[in-house]
Amino acid sequence: MPPSVALSAILITIISIAVRNAPAADADAFQFREAPKFYNSPNCPSLTPPAAAAADTTSNICYDSNAIHVAMTLDAAYLRGSMAAILSVLQHSSCPENIIFHFVSSSSATTSDLRRTMSISFPYLQFNVYSFDDSAAAGLISTSIRAALDCPLNYARNYLADLLPTCIRKIVYLDSDLVLVDNIAKLAATPLINDAVLAAPEYCNANFTSYFTPTFWSNPSLSLTFANRKPCYFNTGVMVIDIERWRAGDYTTKIVEWMELQKRMRIYELGSLPPFLLVFAGNIAPVDHRWNQHGLGGDNFRGLCRDLHPGPVSLLHWSGKGKPWARLDENRPCPLDALWAPYDLLGTRSNLES
Ligand SMILES: *[C@@H]1O[C@H](CO)[C@@H](O)[C@H](O)[C@H]1NC(C)=O
């Protein structure tokens, strides 16, 4: 091993130890590298700035329909994952300058720290940070089978329609434990057919019954919610959402109503997913499975290594207990974690250049 490689390996070890030992809320403790600037290709549509009449504090992000709006949550625990996801989105986009990010952070986090950390690694990124009042969701959460699923920020996706400015009509929601290996414009262009509020890949072979408790299925007034629908499982980590339709139908309230019921009687075991299934399953627009190759984190209990589902891949999603950055740090990666590593902004510089 040449000395320079050995030295950088030592430095990375020091940095990752520093990060692991850092107080979780201190975004300054993260030493992420700066990502390169990504440029639009010549045939990209240009963004029309918003009309002066619409000028307000958020008007800089109120571009026309040529912009692609991406919503993600942002917190100290998953910051490294978010950074990798953002980098992967930009790197595979043909019009990266037309992408606008909307980051939702917990109200207990210091948004100015997150904003600064983001600006250091992505100086050219167009983004806004929104503060999510966790206490609203916290009171609605009942404990699930995996503690990480009970984090209030996990529920922020229910509230995007309230958090984001009304000038935004459509968004792509992405979890923080994924990377894209394809152009996000293709996903964002998913037609929301049949007046669907959201689009996501559906998995009709999954055992839908198992997502709800016998209490739920044995109570006709509850289980009838799925009458006249053909409900299938979908993963809420990748969704294209028409937020105008979401607002018009007040779907936030519909989801909250199921969460309130769950507090009184246990109708499901997982965290934020089942209320989405209750409200939307069977009524969503389809997306090719390539856009959510999920489950790479393994199961909810042990985080065993999982393989890809058959077929092409546009997005890799480490849903489940194991996260690629943690397994790489522990020197116990799963084979597919090697596909996440090139997007790690805490990794070696050569990762980005190769
Ligand atoms: C689906 O899950 C339910 C509840 O977990 C179980 O009772 C049923 O046998 C399963 N069905 C199939 C086809 O595996």
Side-chain angles (χ1 to χ4, degrees), residues 38-123:
F38 296 96
Y39 295 92
N40 276 1
S41 57
N43 54 356
C44 289
S46 59
L47 298 185
T48 313
D56 59 37
T57 52
T58 54
S59 63
N60 59 322
I61 49 148
C62 287
Y63 287 105
D64 61 21
S65 55
N66 288 329
I68 293 174
H69 295 279
V70 179
M72 298 178 74
T73 59
L74 209 56
D75 71 348
Y78 278 65
L79 191 55
R80 191 170 166 193
S82 304
M83 293 282 198
I86 298 160
L87 178 60
S88 74
V89 167
L90 297 173
Q91 195 167 321
H92 297 280
S93 170
S94 51
C95 304
E97 293 171 276
N98 292 4
I99 303 175
I100 300 167
F101 283 85
H102 303 270
F103 299 120
V104 179
S105 80
S106 145
S107 51
S108 59
T110 316
T111 40
S112 58
D113 283 350
L114 288 171
R115 208 180 284 273
R116 196 171 59 246
T117 305
M118 198 54 71
S119 304
I120 290 168
S121 284
F122 296 98

Side-chain angles (χ1 to χ4, degrees), residues 205-214 217:
N205 292 330
N207 184 352
F208 194 80
T209 310
S210 63
Y211 290 96
F212 301 94
T213 59
W217 291 115

Side-chain angles (χ1 to χ4, degrees), residues 90-335:
L90 297 173
Q91 195 167 321
H92 297 280
S93 170
S94 51
C95 304
E97 293 171 276
N98 292 4
I99 303 175
I100 300 167
F101 283 85
H102 303 270
F103 299 120
V104 179
S105 80
S106 145
S107 51
S108 59
T110 316
T111 40
S112 58
D113 283 350
L114 288 171
R115 208 180 284 273
R116 196 171 59 246
T117 305
M118 198 54 71
S119 304
I120 290 168
S121 284
F122 296 98
Y124 311 101
L125 199 70
Q126 303 189 79
F127 70 93
N128 205 359
V129 181
Y130 307 83
S131 184
F132 174 59
D133 178 14
D134 319 55
S135 58
L140 286 169
I141 298 171
S142 65
T143 53
S144 76
I145 53 167
R146 207 178 102 216
L149 298 174
D150 302 332
C151 158
L153 200 55
N154 213 9
Y155 293 80
R157 71 195 90 193
N158 298 0
Y159 299 89
L160 293 173
D162 299 337
L163 291 165
L164 271 49
T166 48
C167 63
I168 295 163
R169 295 179 182 155
K170 190 177 171 187
I171 53 143
V172 177
Y173 173 82
L174 298 176
D175 269 352
S176 300
D177 51 358
L178 54 78
V179 295
L180 276 78
V181 291
D182 198 352
N183 188 351
I184 195 170
K186 295 185 212 164
L187 174 62
T190 302
L192 286 147
I193 54 166
N194 299 328
D195 295 326
V197 176
L198 68 85
E202 288 185 284
Y203 302 87
C204 295
N205 292 330
N207 184 352
F208 194 80
T209 310
S210 63
Y211 290 96
F212 301 94
T213 59
T215 308
F216 173 83
W217 291 115
S218 61
N219 186 333
S221 68
L222 301 178
S223 56
L224 268 175
T225 191
F226 290 120
N228 309 317
R229 294 203 238 165
K230 194 189 167 294
C232 295
Y233 167 80
F234 65 93
N235 179 284
T236 53
V238 179
M239 299 185 283
V240 181
I241 304 176
D242 183 319
I243 25 182
E244 276 193 323
R245 287 181 192 162
W246 182 294
R247 284 192 192 99
D250 193 11
Y251 287 96
T252 300
T253 301
K254 292 183 170 125
I255 287 174
V256 164
E257 281 168 358
W258 283 111
M259 291 172 72
E260 282 168 347
L261 183 66
Q262 166 78 351
K263 288 288 282 184
R264 285 184 277 128
M265 56 195 290
R266 209 163 169 86
I267 54 172
Y268 50 79
E269 303 292 351
L270 286 169
S272 61
L273 169 77
F276 266 84
L277 296 181
L278 285 160
V279 174
F280 294 112
N283 293 331
I284 70 173
V287 174
D288 192 282
H289 286 179
R290 67 190 303 149
W291 286 103
N292 195 347
Q293 284 269 0
H294 64 285
L296 305 183
D299 60 87
N300 278 323
F301 301 100
R302 286 181 296 168
L304 297 175
C305 295
R306 287 247 182 105
D307 211 348
L308 290 170
H309 305 265
V313 181
S314 292
L315 184 153
L316 298 137
H317 185 188
W318 279 263
S319 56
K321 189 161 187 258
K323 299 302 165 199
W325 53 89
R327 294 195 296 221
L328 287 160
D329 281 356
E330 288 160 9
N331 248 325
R332 233 179 285 156
C334 290

